[in-house]
Amino acid sequence: MGASEERDVSVRRRFDMADAAPLLLDARMSVTSWTADAERLLGYPAAEVLGRHAAELLVPEDAARVRDLTGQCDADRGWSGLLSARHRDGRALRLMVRVVPAEHGDGPARWVALLADLGDGPGWDMSRQVLERMAAHSPVGIAIVDTDLRYVWSNTALEQFGGGPAQQRLGRRLAEVQPGLDAERLEAQMLRALTTGEQVVGYEHVGRVRSAPHRQSAHSMSFIRLEDDLGRPIGVYYTVVDVSASYRARRRLALLDRAGECIGRSLDVVQTAQELADVAVPGLADFVTVDLLESVLKGAEPAPGPRDDADAVPLRRAGQQSVRAGVPETMVRVGEPAAYLAGSPPVRCLADGLSWSEERLDPMATVWTARSPGDRPASFLDLGLHSVMIVPVRARGITLGITTFFRRTREDPFDEDDLSLAEEFVARAALCIDNARRYSRERDAALVLQRNLLPHRFPELDAVQVAACYRPADELTGLAGDWFDVIPLSGARVALVVGEVAGHGIDGAAAMGRLRAAVQTLADLDLTPEEVLAHLDDLVSRTAREEGTGADTRTSGMQALGASCLYVVYDPVSGECAMAGAGHPAPALISPEGHVSFVELPRGSALGVGGLPFESVELELAEGTVLALHTDGLLATPGAARDQETGRERLRRALEARGQQLDDLCRTIVDDLVPTRPYDDVALLMARTRRLGAGQVATWELPVDPAVVADARKAAARQLNAWGLDELTFTTELVVSELVTNAIRHAAGPLRLRLISEQALICEVSDGGATAPHLRHPKTTDEGGRGLFLISQFTQRWGTRYTDEGKIIWAEQPLRAPLV
């Protein structure tokens, strides 16, 4: 027998019908049935093959052999051999062919041809025996179960996942082989593949197996249905691969991602510590505590380097979490001092800044927390804790506290990978805690700055009743660039100011404080609103030029560039109101009847940016009119782009619908129109106007004659007597005499004397001159120059303001008696 014949015999012996593609032939070897497997093998669709002679599918050399195949076939055993077929794409395929007779009764003879692809050579044919030998030695666990899900075969590799050798599995179900395993869930996947034919690939199962009872293992499993020649299900084969390492790596990355998302979402030290505990439970530990130095919680700077006196360092519980509701394992609540026994692991970690772990705690050992003298010492067994890690909270070379991780319900102890993960958790949280600590310190500084920059309370005025509400966008410092002010002016008048600086925090506060101080200084000069803004604009421009040449553009001068301001002056004697704006929205007016309108005020250019001169608007207000001065933040529409008209309409509706006291109204308006954490800072200043009664003001027109000085003194004395202010008569006569005498000597008419009884007694003398008086310090031998010097000594304050007709020199005396 030749080598070729021996090879054919060997191939025929190894031929397996389960691997073949069947097709049906009639007695003349014409194709009468074409299966999907045959189409996949040779590429021909059924329409192109049915009715054709089988020889037409072969290469020419083998086609001649098939022509007389009918005579060669044994009626009982058929024929088998190697043939080369022509694929539809033209390439030749080496096939193992078996032709067997089909049951036909009394009908014409038929044959079933089974075709198996041998590849490029006889060494690549795969019989069942070869496949079984491969599966038996595969590192992948493989098993076959029947339709009742009972084992009929498994390989050696499956034994590493528990359940014993293959012989012990035969005829048993998964729950019988591995008690305690989640067999119901796994058999559900088997039934899914068995009933639907759908392959279940890459199903991940996490649990404990007998080969590793103290550690969770992860396995990737695939389930595929087995079918007979007729396509009927006969069982399921599945594979098992240990993916515990990749599972733990994915879980580690997932926990780190969650830590990045959840830790440090605020600038609060305690909240950040609690976020650290929340993230670690239950993904890494069952019980976690975070203890920080008291100095850290207060925002102070801890001492750098190791601590030799760690036993005496005060710690406080900042966060804790447990898989059990209410954290029953702890003996210290959040916010309480956390004291540990001298020399205990927590104290050592705090001292040397190094992590420490213990895979298995001594169950009878007592916990490390210091106890009161009457407390019963608790053991780790009492708390159910069996494994621990302690990681110091360190940032920028400074130890801020310690974090302790315990396991209770999970049987597997902490290992090196867990310690590495815990250290990454704590390192991320440590930076956030340190940032929160630093920002807490800055916040305290900013709040101190705020208390010194914004008004603590408003002065008592007869001109207006005032209320204000302030809400910053900067949740860290509670301070921003918006400000408001109420400034008493001469003549019982009052200035109302609202402004806005673009910056936030300490930088914005410094710029705001600088502008507020400048406005107060300019207000003391008794300038008109447009003149105040013009001087303020010059100041901002000059300061920005001086400070803008440096490398740091965050100075207060640069922050003030582009700021806005609204300056309003109200006179309670005449009811006149004058206002001017620099890039600021106009105020709202609420009439005594409740009608709301907005002043037609030129917006003007922002401070320091240049533009047209500032313009003022004058109007007369009825008593009881409410002025609502505000910043842009009050008009911002939540969730939409800034639209001033929409914001005005919202403000109008809010103001019209209220009838509360001014303080309540101001707070309610801000609460209704502004969210708790607004996108922009909000300041609202509301002032209800008052008028001084006719009995509080006395006016006399005086001729330019020295003889009128005596008459002026007498008239003032009579008026003080009528007001019940006789104790101020001597000083008032002196002031009237000196002011009227100076006006007659150095100015021109007309002359007017006016007394106003308000929070102070105000004496005013107006004339038509434009020259300013100067305070002198006369020598003993000087005959004059003592008038203003005496006024400055006997009155609370005095000054000069200019009008269209000339100037007014005024002086104020505090009232010690109530008005009548």
Side-chain angles (χ1 to χ4, degrees):
M1 181 182 296
S4 177
E5 293 176 345
E6 291 179 356
R7 184 188 56 152
D8 290 350
V9 172
S10 175
V11 169
R12 280 193 289 270
R13 287 176 180 171
R14 291 178 294 173
F15 186 83
D16 187 13
M17 293 178 61
D19 303 325
L23 58 93
L24 189 62
L25 307 174
D26 61 13
R28 297 188 303 273
M29 293 295 171
S30 296
V31 179
T32 60
S33 176
W34 187 254
T35 64
D37 291 335
E39 180 178 345
R40 284 193 294 271
L41 181 61
L42 297 177
Y44 298 96
E48 296 181 11
V49 177
L50 292 176
R52 296 175 60 183
H53 196 280
E56 298 178 19
L57 302 176
L58 303 176
V59 299
E61 302 85 71
D62 288 339
R65 297 171 56 195
V66 177
R67 293 294 181 183
D68 58 345
L69 186 61
T70 305
Q72 300 179 26
C73 289
D74 183 272
D76 294 326
R77 293 177 298 174
W79 175 90
S80 63
L82 298 176
L83 297 173
S84 295
R86 181 68 65 187
H87 193 274
R88 190 171 185 268
D89 61 8
R91 57 190 169 90
L93 296 177
R94 190 70 170 162
L95 303 177
M96 177 65 202
V97 181
R98 173 174 288 184
V99 181
V100 296
E103 295 183 5
H104 55 81
D106 297 332
R110 291 187 299 172
W111 304 92
V112 175
L114 302 173
L115 314 178
D117 185 12
L118 299 180
D120 296 331
W124 295 100
D125 60 305
M126 298 295 177
S127 66
R128 174 171 295 173
Q129 292 82 3
V130 174
L131 291 176
E132 286 185 354
R133 284 195 295 270
M134 290 175 55
H137 297 89
S138 171
V140 177
I142 304 175
I144 298 176
V145 298
D146 60 17
T147 53
D148 293 329
L149 306 185
R150 297 185 179 277
Y151 284 97
V152 297
W153 180 86
S154 62
N155 68 345
T156 306
L158 192 66
E159 297 175 9
Q160 66 179 305
F161 304 106
Q167 297 88 339
Q168 296 181 7
R169 294 176 181 267
L170 294 178
R172 304 170 69 186
R173 295 184 62 156
L174 183 61
E176 299 170 332
V177 172
Q178 295 208 65
L181 193 66
D182 192 359
E184 183 178 348
R185 195 152 52 99
L186 295 178
E187 288 188 346
Q189 303 302 319
M190 298 180 189
L191 287 173
R192 174 184 168 189
L194 187 64
T195 57
T196 67
E198 176 185 351
Q199 295 184 0
V200 180
V201 179
Y203 176 80
E204 191 169 85
H205 175 262
V206 180
R208 288 182 173 83
V209 296
R210 289 187 176 181
S211 57
H214 299 300
R215 178 172 293 279
Q216 278 194 333
S217 301
H219 304 99
S220 178
M221 308 180 70
S222 296
F223 303 88
I224 302 174
R225 185 171 75 177
L226 294 174
E227 302 174 351
D228 61 13
D229 294 344
L230 300 179
R232 295 173 298 192
I234 60 175
V236 174
Y237 87 86
Y238 69 86
T239 61
V240 185
V241 179
D242 190 343
V243 293
S244 299
S246 62
Y247 167 76
R248 282 191 284 270
R250 284 188 284 110
R251 189 187 66 170
R252 176 190 182 98
L253 290 176
L255 287 173
L256 288 176
D257 287 342
R258 184 164 177 257
E261 294 175 359
C262 299
I263 298 177
R265 292 179 295 181
S266 71
L267 290 170
D268 183 88
V269 173
V270 175
Q271 183 174 340
T272 303
Q274 185 61 49
E275 289 167 352
L276 168 59
D278 292 341
V279 166
V281 175
L284 178 61
D286 299 323
F287 171 47
V288 175
T289 64
V290 183
D291 300 318
L292 299 178
L293 301 175
E294 286 191 358
S295 58
V296 173
L297 295 172
K298 295 177 180 178
E301 191 75 26
R307 296 180 175 274
D308 297 331
D309 58 342
D311 294 349
V313 173
L315 289 171
R316 194 168 289 273
R317 182 63 48 86
Q320 58 188 11
Q321 188 55 273
S322 171
V323 293
R324 303 173 67 192
V327 197
E329 301 91 343
T330 185
M331 289 178 278
V332 180
R333 300 300 173 187
V334 173
E336 294 180 352
Y340 292 97
L341 298 174
S344 62
V347 173
R348 294 200 304 269
C349 290
L350 187 65
D352 57 29
L354 300 177
S355 300
W356 178 85
S357 65
E358 186 73 33
E359 288 190 3
R360 292 295 177 186
L361 286 166
D362 180 0
M364 304 310 297
T366 57
V367 296
W368 304 309
T369 305
R371 300 170 301 277
S372 300
D375 293 344
R376 183 183 70 85
S379 68
F380 290 111
L381 179 62
D382 295 334
L383 301 179
L385 306 175
H386 64 83
S387 189
V388 64
M389 299 184 297
I390 304 177
V391 180
V393 181
R394 288 180 59 81
R396 301 177 178 93
I398 299 175
T399 301
L400 309 176
I402 55 173
T403 304
T404 309
F405 303 82
F406 290 99
R407 278 188 178 167
R408 182 182 188 279
T409 58
R410 294 172 58 172
E411 296 180 7
D412 47 317
F414 290 118
D415 56 18
E416 292 184 1
D417 290 339
D418 294 324
L419 180 59
S420 176
L421 179 59
E423 288 175 338
E424 289 194 48
F425 271 1
V426 176
R428 293 190 180 197
L431 287 176
C432 297
I433 289 173
D434 193 49
N435 287 337
R437 176 190 64 81
R438 291 166 177 257
Y439 280 119
S440 296
R441 183 177 58 193
E442 288 200 18
R443 178 188 59 200
D444 293 341
L447 290 176
V448 172
L449 185 61
Q450 179 189 36
R451 286 192 291 267
N452 288 276
L453 292 180
L454 290 178
H456 295 181
R457 62 184 184 86
F458 297 116
E460 295 183 6
L461 300 169
D462 286 351
V464 289
Q465 177 193 0
V466 183
C469 187
Y470 175 75
R471 182 168 295 175
D474 189 343
E475 66 173 85
L476 164 65
T477 63
L479 182 63
D482 291 12
W483 92 92
F484 53 88
D485 212 343
V486 177
I487 306 172
L489 301 177
S490 64
R493 298 169 308 135
V494 62
L496 307 173
V497 189
V498 169
E500 182 172 2
V501 174
H504 297 272
I506 292 181
D507 295 330
M512 174 264 285
R514 194 168 184 171
L515 284 182
R516 180 171 179 247
V519 171
Q520 290 179 333
T521 301
L522 293 171
D524 284 342
L525 300 178
D526 269 326
L527 303 175
T528 60
E530 68 272 19
E531 290 176 323
V532 170
L533 294 182
H535 285 289
L536 194 62
D537 181 71
D538 291 340
L539 174 65
V540 171
S541 298
R542 184 174 64 254
T543 306
R545 285 194 302 270
E546 293 173 354
E547 297 180 352
T549 57
D552 189 357
T553 59
R554 294 176 297 173
T555 58
S556 60
M558 296 301 295
Q559 292 279 332
L561 190 65
S564 66
C565 183
L566 176 65
Y567 189 87
V568 179
V569 176
Y570 173 68
D571 187 344
V573 177
S574 63
E576 293 180 352
C577 180
M579 64 184 70
H584 204 88
L589 294 179
I590 310 174
S591 69
E593 295 78 23
H595 174 70
V596 179
S597 62
F598 291 88
V599 179
E600 296 297 328
L601 177 68
R603 192 176 181 96
S605 301
L607 297 174
V609 301
L612 296 175
F614 299 104
E615 299 181 44
S616 65
V617 170
E618 297 182 1
L619 57 159
E620 185 173 344
L621 301 180
E623 185 172 11
T625 300
V626 175
L627 286 136
L629 289 71
H630 58 85
T631 55
D632 275 341
L634 190 66
L635 302 181
T637 303
R642 182 167 296 183
D643 182 352
Q644 185 171 355
E645 289 304 318
T646 303
R648 275 190 171 190
E649 187 57 33
R650 293 175 63 241
L651 178 58
R652 182 197 306 275
R653 291 196 301 268
L655 292 172
E656 286 178 343
R658 310 296 178 186
Q660 304 162 287
Q661 295 294 325
L662 201 60
D663 286 337
D664 296 335
L665 173 62
C666 189
R667 190 178 306 107
T668 302
I669 293 297
V670 173
D671 289 341
D672 289 351
L673 299 184
V674 181
T676 304
R677 297 171 61 183
Y679 173 77
D680 193 11
D681 316 311
V682 175
L684 175 62
L685 176 65
M686 303 186 74
R688 179 175 283 116
T689 62
R690 296 168 176 162
R691 287 285 189 95
L692 296 184
Q696 293 179 265
V697 182
T699 305
W700 296 271
E701 300 292 337
L702 304 176
V704 184
D705 183 353
V708 79
V709 174
D711 296 335
R713 287 199 303 267
K714 295 177 182 178
R718 287 193 298 268
Q719 186 61 54
L720 292 182
N721 180 263
W723 285 340
L725 300 176
D726 293 317
E727 70 274 11
L728 300 179
T729 300
F730 173 79
T731 303
T732 304
E733 287 183 338
L734 174 64
V735 171
V736 169
S737 178
E738 294 297 335
L739 292 182
V740 172
T741 300
N742 283 343
I744 294 174
R745 285 183 179 179
H746 305 292
L751 300 181
R752 181 183 298 109
L753 170 64
R754 185 170 70 167
L755 296 180
I756 301 174
S757 178
E758 191 226 15
Q759 298 294 323
L761 176 63
I762 303 170
C763 177
E764 297 180 343
V765 174
S766 58
D767 57 53
T771 57
H774 298 285
L775 178 63
R776 298 178 181 178
H777 297 276
K779 299 177 183 179
T780 306
T781 57
D782 289 344
E783 295 182 359
R786 293 182 175 83
L788 292 180
F789 178 77
L790 292 175
I791 291 175
S792 67
Q793 296 300 308
F794 284 97
T795 62
Q796 185 177 32
R797 60 175 189 153
W798 70 279
T800 304
R801 71 174 183 272
Y802 293 89
T803 65
D804 294 337
E805 294 82 17
K807 67 177 183 297
I808 298 175
I809 303 177
W810 55 270
E812 291 184 2
Q813 302 175 68
L815 293 180
R816 293 184 175 86
L819 295 175
V820 294

